Amino acid sequence: MNNKSLAILFSMLAGVFVAVATRLNASLGERIGILESSFVIHLAGALFAFFLILLFFRKERGVLRRAPSKQLAGRQDEREKTPVYLFGGGVLGIVIVLCANLSVPKLGMVLTMGIFLMGNLIFAVAADHFGFFGLPVFKITRRRLLGLACTALGLMFVL
Amino acid sequence: MELLFLLLAFTGGTTLSFQQVVNASLGLHIGSMKSSFMNHVVGALSAGLLLLIGLKTGNLFVGKIPFTYFLGGCVGVLMVAMCNFAIPRIGMMVMTIFITSFQLLSSCLIDHFGWLGAKSIPFTFVRGIGIFLLVVGAFFVFTKGRTRAYDTC
């Protein structure tokens, strides 16, 4: 199996994993409470990531030592400090898990994932159109609007 | 009442892509696996803090929960590692489309058979059309030019 088909297989698996993880989190949330499950999930994830770094990602060891990627080194001064707000992603994770935990038992997986996808697409299109966070600007095209319309229509069928 | 949950799911979706952008930027600074690690540490700390100040939504110490239910976090970390492998080899767009379609397909299976503690929601032809349209929509949005400069996970 070559690298490309392995990458495609991994992408498919990653998709299955998203659904499985969301459902597991929601089931855990129903048993022990949504905030508690959010805590447990993040703790388990942190431990697991810690072991993965220890075992397989030797290059990334060292909590404070930075390993700037080639992309970043090309764009920015390497001595530039990592902005603290970038570490705030975990707080957003709590919001996501709370939202998912509340909606999955009520709406079911397909509908929740569908709406998640819709929100995701709208954000992506908006982020590209306005160039959020200093990202390059990609204006809204008719093709993209068509895509959003298709997604909305699909959601109505699932509803 | 259902509208509230629809709104909640929508908020979750937008927050998700917001978080992806933030995580990916952090990944450029400190490495993608460490970024995932820090993300989970900060998440656990903030949730723990909320619990400590007394925001309880249930009981953390209920016995007899299937062990698999605790694996959600680990599965998420694995997913990030897989995305990191896939992005440089097949590109963002192809990966996103594969992820989206398989996410929806496995959601269908989970709903239909009521796996992993779910109550069963049977698969219908109409739902099939809906899912097809969702994937087509994602395909249209993601296939013209690059959508985001950073990875999705």
Side-chain angles (χ1 to χ4, degrees):
Chain A
M1 187 184 277
N2 63 11
N3 263 349
K4 205 164 179 176
S5 38
L6 191 64
I8 288 180
L9 184 74
F10 274 1
S11 307
M12 293 171 173
L13 264 180
V16 177
F17 277 9
V18 181
V20 169
T22 313
R23 187 59 243 186
L24 283 175
N25 296 349
S27 298
L28 186 62
E30 280 180 301
R31 303 277 176 108
I32 66 172
I34 48 169
L35 195 56
E36 284 81 354
S37 92
S38 196
F39 172 68
V40 170
I41 290 154
H42 281 87
L43 197 64
L47 284 175
F48 192 59
F50 180 72
F51 282 118
L52 281 185
I53 291 172
L54 272 188
L55 292 173
F56 303 111
F57 294 82
R58 287 161 193 277
K59 269 182 282 179
E60 295 190 16
R61 275 193 207 172
V63 177
L64 291 173
R65 207 185 62 224
R66 290 184 296 124
S69 66
K70 282 171 200 158
Q71 284 161 281
L72 190 71
R75 283 210 324 253
Q76 263 170 295
D77 186 350
E78 215 172 300
R79 281 167 302 176
E80 193 183 320
K81 286 258 166 64
T82 309
V84 180
Y85 65 82
L86 286 183
F87 287 93
V91 182
L92 297 175
I94 301 285
V95 178
I96 298 162
V97 175
L98 288 185
C99 286
N101 277 356
L102 282 169
S103 0
V104 168
K106 298 282 174 204
L107 304 176
M109 277 302 293
V110 176
L111 192 51
T112 313
M113 285 286 122
I115 299 171
F116 260 68
L117 174 64
M118 182 83 193
N120 216 317
L121 290 179
I122 290 180
F123 186 89
V125 169
D128 279 351
H129 187 74
F130 300 109
F132 289 171
F133 313 111
L135 296 179
V137 172
F138 297 95
K139 289 285 175 208
I140 292 180
T141 57
R142 203 178 295 164
R143 190 187 168 91
R144 287 199 162 175
L145 283 180
L146 183 68
L148 287 183
C150 246
T151 320
L153 195 65
L155 272 183
M156 279 171 205
F157 274 105
V158 178
L159 259 173
Chain B
M1 200 56 189
E2 202 183 42
L3 187 68
L4 175 71
F5 292 104
L6 292 176
L7 272 174
L8 265 174
F10 187 76
T11 316
T14 39
T15 318
L16 182 64
S17 28
F18 186 40
Q19 190 208 25
Q20 286 161 354
V21 176
V22 173
N23 275 350
S25 321
L26 184 63
L28 289 180
H29 280 272
I30 64 172
S32 47
M33 203 60 204
K34 210 157 74 190
S35 143
S36 172
F37 170 67
M38 285 313 296
N39 174 45
H40 284 88
V41 168
V42 173
L45 282 180
S46 45
L49 201 70
L50 285 177
L51 285 176
L52 272 182
I53 61 169
L55 270 178
K56 283 203 166 64
T57 50
N59 188 359
L60 189 51
F61 305 101
V62 210
K64 284 189 182 167
I65 295 166
F67 176 66
T68 42
Y69 285 13
F70 290 95
L71 295 179
C74 307
V75 172
V77 174
L78 273 183
M79 196 199 82
V80 174
M82 286 181 163
C83 290
N84 287 342
F85 179 85
I87 288 169
R89 286 166 182 84
I90 54 174
M92 261 285 300
M93 293 176 323
V94 182
M95 189 199 68
T96 313
I97 290 161
F98 271 112
I99 288 187
T100 309
S101 14
F102 275 80
Q103 185 184 337
L104 287 168
L105 279 176
S106 46
S107 297
C108 266
L109 288 175
I110 293 174
D111 267 356
H112 185 78
F113 293 106
W115 286 336
L116 309 169
K119 64 172 195 291
S120 167
I121 304 173
F123 183 79
T124 57
F125 182 64
V126 179
R127 287 202 124 192
I129 297 177
I131 286 158
F132 177 72
L133 282 173
L134 278 168
V135 174
V136 170
F139 180 79
F140 276 135
V141 172
F142 281 123
T143 47
K144 194 69 176 191
R146 285 187 307 159
T147 48
R148 269 173 278 165
Y150 300 122
D151 46 343
T152 47
C153 302

